Amino acid sequence: MKNKRQHNILILSGLLVLSGCSVSNARSQSSDNGIDIEPWGRKKISALIMNFWRNMNELWRICHIRGRLYGAGCNDLMIYVIILIYEGDYMKDTKIQWHPGFVAAMNLEFAKDRESLIFEKEYNLNTKPLEIDLLVIKKEATVRIDNEIGSLFRGHNIMEYKSPEDALDIDDFYKTGAYASLYKAYGETTDAVRADDVTVSLVREAKPEGLFRYFREHGYRVSSPYSGIYYIEDKVLFPTQIVVTGELDEISHIWLGALTGRMQKQGMVKLLEQVERLSEKADKEFADSVLEVSIGANKKVVEELIGDGSMCQALMEIMEPQLLLREKEGIKEGIKKGIQGTVDTLKEFGHGEPEIKKAIMNRYALSEEEAEGYLRRY
């Protein structure tokens, strides 16, 4: 990482942009201080933007102050963002949160029947360490779900998700069955949850070959009524299925299929197009969670799309509604980070507290009391 002084110069260059300086002037400021942006190239800039996708708060602050999202176009946006975030806190890699993406994907998978279902994510079984990834409860026993994954469902349906990074072996299989047993046993009254009203679903991208070999060697009967869905016919307490998302139909199960680190360019385009078609607020929010996971796991594919001049603007337009969903939460947090960065930078360059206080009061429209609070805090 470049030294802190250089990083602070980049922050100051960003502040020039915020205060109305043109992008080219901001670039000149950076070059004058020994940091040349030009050689970074489209690939470097694209990679930084994709890393920034998961950390949008500072960009929301920029957009809020400037008053227009992506007003400068793709190339200027790249430079515009890079000046602010190059090798800063936003460059830290963060672990992909697969499970929230899975919960969102299942909500979209069952979108046609969502009003008839109750989704309980991370359902606690008495004590915190025992937790079901997703519990899906039918509001009415007669509800039929218009999705192959839900064909097995009864009243209470335990779903265990394994990310592409996780294994699924015989112990995981029995552990999920044990969760179902505990769930049935913890009813409010005796036999409140009937055993024949509980199902178990284990979901993973790749087929767990070791587990299926165990089934064959130990005489488990396995059937496959649908592509990618396997029913375990005996030696289980509850109706049980294993869903292999990598074998499901790509079109009808696009949301679960998006939870992969092996997506191809055309698949990402189809996913973005599907997101663009959504009109309901809840659907857009769920799609946002799925898209965040998919983009984080397939950075190279999205870099290629950004590098494609014909796709860049379309990609940004598709992403814009997803970013807008974060605006309310992001602006406030982004402004706090902006103030912190300004205070740290001005202190680094030897400015006194009275001068810093005046600067942040003017830039962020703070009262004197609020500005003093930030100075004490930072």
Side-chain angles (χ1 to χ4, degrees), residues 168-333:
L168 175 55
D169 56 28
I170 190 61
D171 290 334
D172 296 311
F173 180 79
Y174 273 102
K175 181 179 71 173
T176 308
Y179 285 172
S181 295
L182 288 171
Y183 175 78
K184 184 261 179 289
Y186 286 151
E188 293 182 359
T189 60
T190 301
D191 206 28
V193 177
R194 300 191 321 276
D196 62 2
D197 203 31
V198 177
T199 73
V200 173
S201 299
L202 297 100
V203 183
R204 188 173 186 262
E205 179 188 2
K207 187 177 181 179
E209 296 294 350
L211 178 58
F212 278 82
R213 183 168 57 251
Y214 182 95
F215 290 156
R216 290 193 298 272
E217 292 172 353
H218 291 80
Y220 287 70
R221 287 189 300 116
V222 179
S223 65
S224 181
Y226 309 101
S227 177
I229 297 176
Y230 300 87
Y231 288 175
I232 314 305
E233 302 285 4
D234 52 16
K235 299 191 179 185
V236 290
L237 289 175
F238 312 100
T240 300
Q241 65 179 349
I242 295 176
V243 179
V244 180
T245 62
E247 297 179 2
L248 297 173
D249 180 77
E250 293 180 2
I251 302 300
S252 56
H253 297 282
I254 192 168
W255 306 112
L256 280 175
L259 303 180
T260 177
R262 301 183 295 177
M263 183 172 284
Q264 300 300 310
K265 185 175 178 180
Q266 191 57 37
M268 181 62 73
V269 171
K270 289 179 179 177
L271 176 63
L272 292 168
E273 289 173 346
Q274 186 68 22
V275 170
E276 190 177 21
R277 293 190 193 103
L278 298 176
S279 57
E280 298 295 325
K281 181 176 182 293
D283 288 342
K284 290 180 178 181
E285 290 174 349
F286 290 131
D288 181 43
S289 295
V290 174
L291 193 58
E292 182 173 355
V293 171
S294 191
I295 286 176
N298 298 279
K299 294 179 184 177
K300 289 184 179 179
V301 172
V302 183
E303 287 170 22
E304 290 177 16
L305 292 177
I306 288 179
D308 183 343
S310 63
M311 285 297 299
C312 182
Q313 191 61 43
L315 180 66
M316 291 302 180
E317 288 173 1
I318 291 170
M319 285 182 174
E320 182 175 349
Q322 305 306 313
L323 300 179
L324 287 171
L325 292 172
R326 304 175 181 212
E327 181 173 9
K328 189 176 293 184
E329 296 82 11
I331 289 175
K332 186 175 180 181
E333 184 62 28

Side-chain angles (χ1 to χ4, degrees), residues 50-200:
M50 294 325 302
N51 188 73
F52 188 53
W53 164 258
R54 298 194 303 273
N55 301 277
M56 292 302 298
N57 291 336
E58 187 66 11
L59 182 56
W60 282 122
R61 185 174 67 83
I62 298 167
C63 297
H64 179 63
I65 293 172
R66 297 281 285 189
R68 187 180 177 196
L69 186 62
Y70 302 133
C74 282
N75 291 332
D76 286 346
L77 172 66
M78 291 177 180
I79 297 167
Y80 190 53
V81 173
I82 199 64
I83 291 172
L84 289 167
I85 64 169
Y86 180 57
E87 293 191 337
D89 291 339
Y90 298 118
M91 285 301 297
K92 296 177 182 176
D93 287 332
T94 56
K95 185 177 176 64
I96 296 173
Q97 300 300 311
W98 293 97
H99 283 72
F102 166 69
V103 173
M106 290 311 304
N107 271 273
L108 290 166
E109 287 280 337
F110 296 145
K112 291 182 180 179
D113 303 292
R114 192 185 302 145
E115 294 302 316
S116 301
L117 303 171
I118 298 172
F119 295 82
E120 297 278 0
K121 64 179 181 180
E122 299 177 346
Y123 183 87
N124 290 329
L125 289 166
N126 195 26
T127 55
K128 180 64 176 175
L130 297 177
E131 198 172 69
I132 297 170
D133 287 340
L134 179 62
L135 172 65
V136 181
I137 302 173
K138 287 186 178 181
K139 293 180 181 179
E140 299 291 340
T142 56
V143 170
R144 294 183 64 85
I145 297 176
D146 184 29
N147 185 300
E148 306 98 299
I149 297 171
S151 295
L152 184 75
F153 279 14
R154 308 284 175 82
H156 304 262
N157 308 282
I158 282 76
M159 302 194 74
E160 176 78 2
Y161 173 69
K162 295 295 183 182
S163 77
E165 303 161 356
D166 296 331
L168 175 55
D169 56 28
I170 190 61
D171 290 334
D172 296 311
F173 180 79
Y174 273 102
K175 181 179 71 173
T176 308
Y179 285 172
S181 295
L182 288 171
Y183 175 78
K184 184 261 179 289
Y186 286 151
E188 293 182 359
T189 60
T190 301
D191 206 28
V193 177
R194 300 191 321 276
D196 62 2
D197 203 31
V198 177
T199 73
V200 173

Side-chain angles (χ1 to χ4, degrees), residues 34-50:
I35 303 172
D36 188 8
I37 299 176
E38 294 290 349
W40 294 354
R42 183 177 291 275
K43 262 196 169 181
K44 176 71 173 176
I45 293 171
S46 298
L48 289 164
I49 286 182
M50 294 325 302

Side-chain angles (χ1 to χ4, degrees), residues 14-26:
L15 294 177
L16 288 173
V17 176
L18 294 179
S19 61
C21 178
S22 70
V23 171
S24 58
N25 287 341

